[in-house]
Amino acid sequence: KMMSVCDMHVIDLVDILKPSVIVAVGGFAFEQVGKLFCSTEVGPMVFPLLHPAPSNPVTPKRWTAIANDQMACAGVPQIIAGSEYVASAVKDEKKKKRCSKD
């Protein structure tokens, strides 16, 4: 029952705020928000973001860099800033490959 209350709250917030993007922090949040919006043709785009859990050995030291990479790969900065966004040059070939859809 608690999840249905939370779902209704999220739906109400999206209805009021009308965001174009929702960044879901963590797999659980992405699954829950995805159930609400990913199957619809209208509404915000939903993107996953690694949760900065202390139990994950990677996240405490590198979470900011990982989160920035995930959002850039998803195009979130371009969506938010529109034509004003200027991407920084990607120096590392691994980042280019990881961000590609291929």
Side-chain angles (χ1 to χ4, degrees), residues 6 15 31 33 35 39 41 47 58 64 75 80 87 94 96:
C6 292
D15 189 45
E31 283 181 32
V33 173
K35 289 177 189 176
S39 63
E41 293 183 20
F47 296 104
V58 175
T64 301
I80 294 170
K94 289 181 183 177
K96 284 183 182 179

Side-chain angles (χ1 to χ4, degrees), residues 47-65:
F47 296 104
L49 185 66
L50 178 69
H51 192 284
S55 60
N56 184 333
V58 175
T59 56
K61 295 178 183 176
R62 297 198 50 238
W63 187 80
T64 301

Side-chain angles (χ1 to χ4, degrees), residues 44-92:
M45 291 183 278
V46 180
F47 296 104
L49 185 66
L50 178 69
H51 192 284
S55 60
N56 184 333
V58 175
T59 56
K61 295 178 183 176
R62 297 198 50 238
W63 187 80
T64 301
I66 292 168
N68 286 337
D69 284 351
Q70 284 182 316
M71 288 195 291
C73 288
V76 173
Q78 297 90 332
I79 293 167
I80 294 170
S83 61
E84 297 174 17
Y85 177 77
V86 178
S88 60
V90 178
K91 297 176 185 175
D92 185 17

